[in-house]
Amino acid sequence: MAPRERIIVALDMPTVDGARAMVRQLGDSIGFYKVGLELVMSGGLDLVRELKTDGLRVFLDVKFLDIGNQVQRAVAAAARSGADFLTVHATDSKTLTAAAAGAEGTGLKVLGVTVMTNLGAEDLAEQRVDLCPQDLVAHRAGLVAESGCHGVIASGQEAAAVRAILGPDKLVVTPGIRMTDDAAGDQLRITTPQQAIADGADYLVVGRPITGVEDPKAAADRFAKAIAETAN
């Protein structure tokens, strides 16, 4: 892939009109966009179809977690939108297997969310989870590997370990990507684009460091340059 093809820009904004404006502003510098829950609840599914009609790729970040029958049917419905990637929580084999079944025979790639990048050890302890984030990510990546799903969402800090578990054929997608001079925001487990790519990430999800600056296109070009330097 060309460096800019590995960047997924998160359209984490409240309105479809705002998302459309950002896509126009980025132009041909970006070809892959994430549509999350806020936008889905504001008419974002129509935007997914619109972006696909325009030849763009779409990551539908809805993080399904429900009984197996509902997950399978919801994933099948999502596939009909034309989305390329979709997330489910990788908490258990039943959820992951159902999601894989829902995507079977379609072009949709299902990614299991291991541990959210805004969570640390104290948050997991509050949930009565005894594992540290890195060990829990590894455990859930193992569930994904056995489920028929197509890859994982994991922070760049765990990309190398996850790649070793999944092997070369499954996808590793990393959110929480920041340049060294970017603010962390509400993210705890962050890493640079250079480190994430070097450790085996296929795609990087970038939101505010691109969409929240004065010149988003220049910021996107900066991320693409960082990836190119790492790949070379």
Side-chain angles (χ1 to χ4, degrees), residues 65 88-93 96 111-116 119 124 127 129 131-147 149 151-154 162 165-166 189:
L65 180 60
V88 299
H89 277 291
T91 54
D92 60 274
S93 296
L96 293 166
L111 307 174
V113 178
T114 52
V115 176
M116 302 282 287
L119 299 180
L124 297 183
Q127 298 174 23
V129 175
L131 299 176
C132 68
Q134 291 76 18
D135 289 345
L136 185 57
V137 167
H139 168 67
R140 289 177 173 172
L143 296 180
V144 170
E146 298 171 358
S147 69
C149 289
V152 303
I153 305 290
V162 165
I165 293 167
L166 297 180
R189 300 187 343 274

Side-chain angles (χ1 to χ4, degrees), residues 132-209:
C132 68
Q134 291 76 18
D135 289 345
L136 185 57
V137 167
H139 168 67
R140 289 177 173 172
L143 296 180
V144 170
E146 298 171 358
S147 69
C149 289
H150 304 90
V152 303
I153 305 290
S155 89
Q157 294 184 12
E158 295 102 32
V162 165
R163 176 56 70 199
I165 293 167
L166 297 180
D169 297 329
K170 290 190 184 291
L171 297 169
V172 177
V173 179
T174 60
I177 300 297
R178 298 289 189 274
M179 295 291 194
T180 54
D181 56 350
D182 287 331
D186 57 359
Q187 302 293 309
L188 292 180
R189 300 187 343 274
I190 62 174
T191 193
T192 64
Q194 295 94 328
Q195 191 62 56
I197 293 295
D199 285 345
D202 296 295
Y203 294 91
L204 311 180
V205 181
V206 186
R208 286 161 287 186

Side-chain angles (χ1 to χ4, degrees), residues 53-79:
T53 298
D54 290 340
L56 299 168
R57 303 182 72 194
V58 179
F59 168 14
L60 189 53
D61 186 21
V62 288
K63 301 182 183 73
F64 288 144
L65 180 60
D66 207 324
I67 63 172
N69 180 59
Q70 282 295 302
V71 169
Q72 180 174 344
R73 293 170 63 177
V75 170

